[in-house]
């Protein structure tokens, strides 16, 4: 199955709050300094991904169709 | 178009300097190259059409490090349909590069011709020439004074802070827009939304100089040297253990060994070549036959970058040199993105531990993990260059690293170090 959505991170805005990784551990893992590493978003997690985008305190996350 | 009868072949950008033996004033420049050709646009013609066609056919790629096709870049800028800003990137942030400074010193009118051609083709009304030193700024100012005002285009010379990432294109756009000279998140890229919100063409100083010659002599002439994939000549700054360090001009595709020969040949036994600068990669000396094209260098694990070639002598410790350079790269972060701000110093520490013989298995494993975790995660490509550099150090100096298993086992590592890592500019 193709994964039609992906998250995009603005690393300048991201302050490593890690909120997103708590909401969406299947897609977002943290590096050793607490900054998110993103994987493609499977369909069944789309609504959680949208919530991670909305809840990021610095508006560093966006969701967009994968190219 | 001016008759190409006396068009120089293998020495192009520096032909005038070598013939005259001194910097070319406007009169010298006009005598050698003739007047600036006119490439429109005519009323009703789409902006950039003719110049873009010439650049596409010539196959010119940017000489600032990324080797991006210049015609395609101009087309992206032109497609907005708005009047863009033309930026000449002559800030030359790589400590061991000297080619852009040399061009501004000896052939400033070639660079300015290219910028003026691009500006008039794209209907730009502003040109910014970005330099680092006061000396370069003065050279451009006096060349501009010789030329007099450019019709309907305002040209200004802008000094850029001496930070490595300040000459990255989005940092230049920020600087020219009155913000701090730090990289920005993209998109929007400068061609979409650049200086003051206008579409902006950012290209390297040498790239503009090639444009000036392609406009005069045409794509066929440009392709008469170099390779089909990497046509034309490029400027190379050759330093380290060679007999005549300096800036040379050579056809793309010249082998690394050939470039060293043009710089007088090795001054002593060599072990490796640093290609592309501190954001570049090491190439072992046994691969010195690699042709200097972006693709051949990449396939060999090297990086053409802005044409930096540094010959590392066998007596110097490559691991210790790399650790110092990695530290410098870490210090040059703009400190905006977590993986770059924290990852580069962490990688630098691990490399230093390796160099000092303080590294056990855990450091090794951690370093490999860090190298694969950091690349591609910054707003700009600074971390990618730094990671490529460190990765190449492990690969190329890997066999020698065995000597670093214990402190003091590599006497060469105790030396003062060869390559400059501060006050280099
Ligand atoms: C950290 C960093 C530093 C850079 N420094 C320079 C520089 O000093 N000069 C330059 O021309 N390009 C530099 N670049 C590349 C520019 O961002 C840009 O791609 C280039 O000026 C485009 O010119 P070109 O298409 O003619 O190569 C740098 C890029 C990065 C990531
Ligand atoms: S919630 Fe936002 S700021 Fe926090 S780590 Fe995730 S993306 Fe970064
Ligand atoms: S990647 Fe590094 S140098 Fe580039 S903007 Fe982010 S912090 Fe600055």
């Amino acid at each position: 199955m193709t994964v039609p959505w992906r998250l995009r991170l603005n690393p300048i805005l991201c302050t490593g709050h890690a909120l997103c990784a708590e909401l969406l551990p299947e897609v977002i893992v943290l590096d050793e300094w607490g900054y998110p590493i993103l994987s493609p978003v499977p369909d069944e997690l789309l609504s959680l991904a949208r919530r991670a985008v909305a809840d990021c305190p610095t508006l560093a996350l966006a969701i967009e169709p994968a190219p | 178009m001016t008759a190409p009868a006396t068009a120089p072949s293998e020495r192009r950008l520096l032909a005038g300097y070598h013939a005259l033996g001194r910097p070319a004033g406007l009169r010298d420049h006009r005598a050698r190259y003739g007047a600036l050709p006119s490439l429109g646009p005519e009323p009703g013609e789409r902006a950039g059409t003719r110049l873009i066609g010439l650049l596409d056919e010539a196959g010119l790629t940017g000489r600032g490090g990324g080797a991006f096709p210049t015609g395609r870049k101009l087309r992206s800028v032109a497609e907005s349909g708005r009047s863009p800003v033309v930026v000449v990137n002559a800030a030359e942030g790589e400590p061991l590069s000297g080619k852009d400074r040399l061009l501004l010193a000896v052939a400033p009118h070639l660079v300015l011709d290219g910028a003026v051609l691009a500006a008039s083709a794209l209907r730009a009304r502003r040109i910014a020439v970005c330099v680092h030193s006061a000396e370069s700024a003065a050279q451009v100012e006096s060349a501009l004074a010789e030329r007099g005002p450019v019709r309907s285009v305002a040209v200004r010379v802008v000094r850029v802070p001496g930070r490595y990432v300040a000459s990255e294109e989005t940092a230049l756009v920020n600087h020219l827009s009155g913000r701090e000279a730090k990289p920005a998140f993209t998109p929007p890229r400068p061609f979409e939304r650049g200086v003051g919100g206008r579409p902006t063409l950012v290209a390297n100083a040498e790239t503009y100089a090639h444009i000036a010659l392609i406009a005069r002599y045409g794509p066929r002439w440009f392709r008469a040297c170099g390779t089909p994939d990497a046509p034309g000549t490029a400027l190379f700054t050759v330093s380290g253990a060679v007999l005549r360090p300096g800036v040379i001009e050579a056809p793309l595709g010249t082998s690394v060994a050939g470039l060293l020969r043009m710089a007088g040949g090795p001054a002593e036994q060599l072990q490796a070549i640093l290609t592309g600068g501190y954001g570049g990669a090491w190439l072992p000396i046994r691969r010195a036959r690699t042709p200097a094209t972006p693709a051949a260098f990449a396939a060999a694990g090297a990086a053409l970058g802005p044409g930096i070639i540094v010959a590392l002598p066998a007596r110097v410790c490559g691991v210790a040199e790399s650790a110092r350079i990695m530290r410098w790269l870490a210090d040059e972060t703009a400190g905006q993105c977590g993986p770059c701000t924290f990852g580069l110093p962490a990688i630098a520490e691990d490399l230093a531990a390796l160099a000092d013989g303080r590294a056990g298995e855990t450091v090794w494993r951690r370093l490999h993990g860090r190298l694969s975790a950091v690349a591609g995660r910054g707003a700009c490509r600074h971390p990618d260059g730094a990671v490529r550099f460190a990765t190449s150090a492990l690969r190329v100096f890997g066999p020698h690293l065995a000597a670093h298993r214990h402190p003091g086992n590599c006497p060469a590592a105790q030396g003062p170090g060869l390559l400059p890592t501060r006050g280099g500019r």
Side-chain angles (χ1 to χ4, degrees):
Chain A
M1 191 201 85
T2 54
V3 181
W5 293 91
R6 67 166 186 194
L7 287 165
R8 237 163 53 88
L9 177 79
N10 178 336
I12 295 180
L13 292 179
C14 171
T15 47
H17 287 285
L19 222 67
C20 54
E22 269 167 46
L23 268 171
L24 208 57
E26 298 85 351
V27 171
I28 303 177
V29 297
L30 300 178
D31 66 17
E32 62 175 299
W33 306 284
Y35 291 90
I37 301 176
L38 313 176
S39 307
V41 183
D43 277 348
E44 63 274 20
L45 293 178
L46 195 56
S47 58
L48 268 181
R50 290 192 196 284
R51 219 183 109 198
V53 169
D55 286 1
C56 168
T58 63
L59 305 179
L61 279 175
I63 188 159
E64 60 183 25
Chain B
M1 198 171 288
T2 318
T6 57
S9 58
E10 303 230 319
R11 211 179 251 154
R12 297 172 165 181
L13 307 180
L14 298 184
Y17 181 50
H18 282 273
L20 280 174
R22 61 175 164 78
L26 186 60
R27 190 192 290 249
D28 307 313
H29 176 74
R30 292 269 158 84
R32 173 167 294 271
Y33 298 110
L36 206 55
S38 165
L39 293 173
E42 305 294 333
E45 192 186 0
R46 244 188 110 108
T49 309
R50 261 181 290 166
L51 181 58
I52 291 167
L54 290 178
L55 296 176
D56 282 347
E57 255 183 83
L60 175 66
T61 56
R63 302 296 197 244
F68 189 82
T70 306
R72 214 191 299 164
K73 189 184 276 192
L74 262 76
R75 185 173 293 107
S76 312
V77 172
E79 269 166 4
S80 74
R82 300 165 59 205
S83 169
V85 176
V86 167
V87 175
V88 179
N89 191 351
E92 202 160 44
E94 275 283 352
L96 290 176
S97 185
K99 63 163 186 116
D100 295 328
R101 255 165 301 169
L102 180 78
L103 263 188
L104 293 185
V106 306
H109 291 291
L110 272 182
V111 178
L112 293 175
D113 276 1
V116 168
L117 279 165
S120 44
L122 297 171
R123 295 200 178 96
R125 305 187 148 268
R126 284 171 64 189
I127 296 174
V129 184
C130 296
V131 300
H132 169 60
S133 72
E135 197 183 354
S136 296
Q139 286 157 349
V140 180
E141 294 285 8
S142 71
L144 286 170
E146 275 186 293
R147 297 169 82 103
V150 185
R151 200 159 57 90
S152 67
V153 183
V155 189
R156 64 182 179 134
V157 182
V158 179
R159 303 266 314 267
V160 176
R163 292 298 303 258
Y164 187 51
V165 299
S167 46
E168 189 273 343
E169 59 185 18
T170 58
L172 283 186
V173 164
N174 271 341
H175 186 57
L176 292 169
S177 307
R179 296 181 291 265
E180 215 182 337
K182 289 181 170 181
F185 180 64
T186 56
R189 302 204 63 81
F191 72 80
E192 302 164 283
R193 198 184 152 74
V195 178
R198 286 192 175 278
T200 298
L201 173 72
V202 183
N204 174 257
E206 182 190 340
T207 308
Y208 286 105
H210 287 292
I211 292 176
L213 294 186
I214 291 168
R216 287 181 165 95
Y217 303 124
R220 285 244 324 255
W221 166 82
F222 186 73
R223 286 184 166 278
C225 75
T227 73
D229 290 346
T233 63
L235 300 179
F236 294 89
T237 313
V238 188
S239 65
V242 289
L243 289 172
R244 283 197 313 273
V247 177
I248 57 175
E249 179 172 13
L252 285 169
T254 305
S255 70
V256 173
L259 295 173
L260 296 177
R261 269 197 300 280
M262 290 175 75
E268 55 184 300
Q269 201 192 332
L270 304 180
Q271 61 172 315
I273 305 294
L274 178 59
T275 61
Y278 292 172
W282 292 104
L283 180 77
I285 195 66
R286 65 186 157 75
R287 308 206 62 175
R289 287 209 303 254
T290 308
T293 68
F297 264 33
L304 189 61
I308 296 165
I309 297 284
V310 189
L312 188 75
R315 70 184 151 83
V316 168
C317 175
V319 180
E321 291 293 329
S322 301
R324 279 191 311 110
I325 292 170
M326 187 61 217
R327 178 76 248 168
W328 183 86
L329 287 166
D331 289 344
E332 288 297 319
T333 173
Q336 304 190 105
C337 314
C340 179
T341 310
F342 299 103
L344 299 193
I347 291 168
E349 265 166 48
D350 288 349
L351 265 187
L354 283 182
D356 299 347
R358 291 183 278 114
E361 270 315 306
T362 31
V363 172
W364 268 99
R365 236 175 302 122
R366 188 176 68 192
L367 176 55
H368 281 105
R370 286 172 168 175
L371 286 171
S372 51
V374 166
R377 291 180 55 224
C380 80
R381 297 217 301 272
H382 176 54
D384 308 26
V387 163
R388 177 174 55 196
F389 170 80
T391 307
S392 78
L394 294 185
R395 189 177 60 239
V396 171
F397 304 117
H400 171 70
L401 273 167
H404 285 253
R405 293 270 179 214
H406 304 286
N409 274 13
C410 171
Q414 315 304 321
L418 185 76
L419 305 181
T421 43
R422 74 175 67 82
R425 308 182 60 190

